[in-house]
Each structure stands twice: as C-alpha cells, then as structure tokens.
Amino acid sequence: MRRRTFLAALPAAAVASKVLAQSRAENPNRNRPDVHGGDRVDGATFASRSAAWGTNGAAATAHPLASLAALDMLRLGGTAVDAAIAANAVLGLVEPIACGIGGDCFVMLSDPKTGKVEGLNGSGRSPRALGLDTVRGRAKNGLIPSYGAISVSVPGAVDAWWTLHQRYGKLPWKDLFAPAVAHAEMGAPVSQNVAYYLGRSLVNFTKPGSGIEEVENFKTVWAAGGATPREGEVFKNPALGRTYRLIAQHGREGFYGGEVAQTIETYFKRIGGWMTKADLADHHARWDPPHRVNYRGVDVWGLSPNSQGLATLQMLNIMETFDFKAMGFQSAAAIHHGVEAKRLAFEDRAKFYADPDFHKTPTEWLLSKDYARQRAKLISPGKILTPVHPGQAPSQGDTTYFTTADASGMMVSIIQSNYRGMGSGLSPDGLGFMFQNRGELFALTDGHANIYAPGKRPFQTIIPGFATKGAQPWLSFGVMGGDMQPQGQAQIISNMVDYGLSVQEAGDSPRWHHGGSSEPTGEAQHGIGVLNLETGVPEATRAALAQIGWKMAADPGGYGGYQAIERWPGRYAAATEMRKDGVALAY
C-alpha cells in the first residue's frame, strides 16, 4: 500500500524510483502503478481515516481482534487495565512477530482516583547463572549475538499484567484470557504484516550460523509443514491456549512457578542455556514514578532507565528552543533540527541509560532546561554537527504498542515486546510462545553503565508515551519499533502541538528515522548516520536536506507503528495508522 499524498498546499511528494523498484522486487504485492490513496473530503489529504470517537471507552491496538477483546472487557464493566491485559493476551497470539508472554512490558497510566500518572517497569533480569566471562566468550565483534540462549532475559510481561490487575483490575483475572484462549484453540486469520514477518523469521532462524540452539519448536508452532502461514490463513496455537489457561487459573504463579516454570528450566538445561525456576520466581515488576518535561504547555511523560523514555523528553527539551511552527510542517529546517536533537539525545542515551540498581543515571541534569539550551546551541541550521558527543555530567554519588481508556478517565499506555522480531528464536517445549532477546542490548565494555552482569536488567528500547494538559490526562500514545520510538514520539507531539494535527493525522503524517548514533551496547556512532524518509516527504524538503549534507535513504517498515487515544471533555478519540494491521475502536 503506497503512502498517501501530502498536504495539497505543500509541494508534491516525489517517489524515488530506485527505492520503489527494490521494495517491489522484495514484495511482488507492491508491483502496482504509481497510484496514491484517494482524496478525503475533509482533513489532511495524507490521513488514512478519521479518528474513532466514543464516550465510554476506547482501544487502539495493532490487530482488530485485540481491539475487540479490549472493548469486550470494557462493555463487561472492566477497567482500562482489564481491557489492556485482554488485548495483550490476544496480541501474543495474533502478532507473535512483535510480542508475547516471553517478552517484557512497560506501562504508564492515569489514575483517576489520585490524579497521578503512574509508571510500571515490567522488564526482566539476566539469568544469575550466566557470568560476564561466558557472555564475552559468545560475543561476536564485541557484541552479544541477537539469537539463542545467550540473548534471553527473564520474561516480565505476565507479572506486569498481574501487578496491574492487583491494583486496578475489576473483572476476574481468568476472564481476561477468554478471548485469547478461544482464538488460540479455534484459530484466527493471519494479517498482512504478521504473515510477512513470520516468513522473514523462518529465514532468519533457520539460516546457517544463526546461533540458535534449536529451531524445531519454532517450526512446530509457526511453520508446520515447512512454511509459515500466508495472509488470511487461519492459524491455531493450542499450546499457547493451554499456557494461557494455566495463567488464567493460577495467576502469576501459572507462569513463574509450577508446570510452566519447570518446563522452562528443563528446556534451557536441554539446550545448554542458563535460565532457572529461581530466576523466574525472583522476578517482580516495579512501580516507577515517571518523569516529565513541559513542551509548549503540554506535559510529556517518560519512564526512567533502564528504558529509553528519557530520550523522548530530552529531544523535546532541545526542540522547544526552536520555533518549529515557523519552520513549517515537513520542512527541511524542521526535520534537520529534529534529527540533530535526536543525535544529541542519543549520545546521552548510549552513555547514561542503564539499570538503576547498578548505575545512577543523572536524570535531573539530563532533563533540565538549562542543559537542553546548552545542547541546542550546538545545532546549526545550515550544517550537520559532527562528531556528536554526550554531555559531561556533573559529579554525583519489532514491539507492539497499544492503548485503552475507560469511562472513569483511566487511560493506559502499554508497550510489550520480544525485541528483535519474534525474539531469540527459542520456544520452550509445548508452551507455544517465544523468548525475548533483550539480553542482546547489554554492553560488554568495562566501565560502561550498561555492562552485562548476572541479575541485571538490560537497556530497554520499549517506551509507552503519555501527555497531560493542566494536570488532566490528554494523550496516551506510542510509536513502536526499536530506536524509532523516541524519534516517533517526539514527531507525534510536535505534529499535534506545533502544527495542530488531529490525533489520527499526527500518526499518518510522513515520518523520518535517523540511524547510526552510538548505542548503549557500546557500538560507536557511524559518522553522521543515515536519514531515512518516508515517500510522503516533499521533494523540495529532500533536496534541501541533501544540500545540507544528509545521507538519505528509504526504509520501508522502519518507521514504527502508532496507536493513540486522545481525551476530550466527555469523550475519547482513538487512532491507528496505515503502517500496521490494527484498528482503533471506541463506543
């Protein structure tokens, strides 16, 4: 599906024929004439649809069945937390290329009783039996491999669900899994994006030298008969359905104890891995008060490290020092300054973000307006800053995103992921899910804040987004996709605050993604990096960016996936976008 045309008042978007030829060769379904989407009678011409409005509640997820499950819980009298858990369980079945109970989970939500924005860190730790020397012995080019047992950390999603439900749930815990169990046992059609990435996963996991200790369990669940399901084929996962039943019956202990935990320990012993029942039993999510910065009158919130939530806030602080509205929507100046803000923030991200139990991040300094102004002075409108360095701190002691809202005013911003694609490539015997590969994100350099250690939480890319106005919840949103997440979140906020776009238009707007910054794994920056632009960015903007000196490319599928709910007096507006297979619903 081609990107929609840009605002009629702006220069027409040009399509790079070389990039399109390449993408069509990789995906024959793209081999169609150069046709853009139809014209809407109202709103931005690039918008895929309007927002879904409702007065009682809303849900926006990356799959229709997950959004329906969320609304079912709301209609039964459940809270937005009940809806989010039910949706996430369904997503683990129908979107396994992004999430599942083998992964981690982070949450921000508005508590209508206290009026506070609450944060929950549901990320797991490295196995305690796995030492640094062993990890270094398995490293490739100084980095932890992407696949196999060496990359697996304890899954945190189920405990995060349990922790949320204990405080904010209203419906019986077991009822939240009924939709997911039914779909797992009876089957559900595979959506377009999921079919594509399942096929990619089969290739990646089975190629020589993948480093995965065993792949037969993956094939049994997702590639029976030697091929992954195509778009529209009905897919069943009774093994996952049975695991969900155990969790529904026994609560948190249905995953971190009993039969499931024993199966996981036995599996890792069989393949030469390190995770144990004790690692699982010791895991607990942590309530983590989020931080905020004010961006032109809107308070934007982010979670602490080990997540990368501060990166969004740092970017916005730097961006606020410039007049983006005067620069113009999708202008070269706006993109240039946004990318430079990203590059500056990401150098701090690479140096300072890590598990706070092992390293104290100078958060107050990183989020200060004074520091942002210092960093902003490094940006020149006509040239690229190079090299980029992190700040000098003062001395001191893909992922799936979805959101739900209910009639009480509670809004839940939740993101859950296996990290790289489906994860590690490892699926425990008979349980129907895959383990995450978040452990890949540790560094191996002595003295690095994010250096690997047993029982430590790795740097995390997944971040929910949240914004308030005048102490009232306003926007629950997220842009899934690795390092695209803070870049995408900053673009969404700017689109709505600086340019007045609606919640749907803000997500459908063409995006940029910059790659090549230093990484928390210890990987150094690659020159000025590469600026990826969606095809909807105007040709005049591309030409001006090239004149500044940016190296540009297209990256189909690399611009994240957006879901959002915006709160208005007495009603909600829910949004999704064309880049994923999801749907936004409200009632």
Side-chain angles (χ1 to χ4, degrees), residues 79 81 109 111 118 164-170 287 410:
T79 66
V81 159
L109 61 84
D111 185 333
E118 300 287 356
L164 285 168
H165 188 262
Q166 291 295 103
R167 181 179 290 190
Y168 294 111
K170 185 181 293 183
W287 291 105
M410 178 182 288

Side-chain angles (χ1 to χ4, degrees), residues 22-54:
Q22 179 182 356
S23 65
R24 286 169 177 159
E26 294 172 351
N27 182 358
N29 290 329
R30 287 183 174 270
N31 191 21
R32 297 188 176 97
D34 187 15
V35 178
H36 293 264
D39 298 324
R40 293 185 59 82
V41 69
D42 192 22
T45 58
F46 57 78
S48 60
R49 52 157 292 164
S50 59
W53 290 87

Side-chain angles (χ1 to χ4, degrees), residues 147-148 201-207 210-223 267 270-271 424-427 434:
Y147 304 122
S201 295
L202 178 61
V203 172
N204 290 336
F205 294 159
T206 57
K207 66 184 179 183
S210 69
I212 303 173
E213 288 82 354
E214 72 86 25
V215 295
E216 293 307 312
N217 286 354
F218 164 79
K219 293 178 181 178
T220 297
V221 176
W222 293 284
Y267 174 73
R270 176 167 72 85
I271 67 170
S424 64
L426 297 174
S427 178
M434 182 167 286

